[in-house]
């Protein structure tokens, strides 16, 4: 059964909160999909993850990067899940018809 959790961002931005959540997910061995509202937003978040922390690294990719099956974090405006992710983060008001494909 899929587990749903909600984060209502009132004091911090998505860019401030998402990297920590992704880091925790990877630390648990989970692969993740981050669904965005658009392709442009996916690229903005991907660029942010390269620079969010000077001494940290979050391995991720988008359709522009390719090799989705090798990306622990996949950022996309679609319902694609090439990395076999078990966790889905919906951002920017995005919705997904594939919630049942995720177990966490």
């Amino acid at each position: 059964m899929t587990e749903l959790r909600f984060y209502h961002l009132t004091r911090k931005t998505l860019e401030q909160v998402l990297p920590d959540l992704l880091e925790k997910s990877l630390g648990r061995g989970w692969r993740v999909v981050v669904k965005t509202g658009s392709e442009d937003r996916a690229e903005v978040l991907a660029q942010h993850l390269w620079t969010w922390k000077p001494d940290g690294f979050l391995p991720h990719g988008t359709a522009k990067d390719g090799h989705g099956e090798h990306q622990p974090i996949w950022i996309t405006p679609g319902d694609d899940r090439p990395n076999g992710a078990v966790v889905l983060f919906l951002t920017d008001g995005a919705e997904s018809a594939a919630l049942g494909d995720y177990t966490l």
Side-chain angles (χ1 to χ4, degrees), residues 31-44:
R31 288 180 161 253
V32 177
V33 166
V34 177
K35 185 171 181 183
T36 61
S38 69
E39 192 70 45
D40 288 341
R41 182 67 166 140
E43 291 303 324
V44 166

Side-chain angles (χ1 to χ4, degrees), residues 43-66:
E43 291 303 324
V44 166
L45 283 178
Q47 289 305 313
H48 175 66
L49 293 181
W50 289 117
T51 60
W52 76 282
K53 187 174 172 183
D55 61 343
F57 174 70
L58 285 169
H60 66 280
T62 66
K64 184 177 175 181
D65 303 314

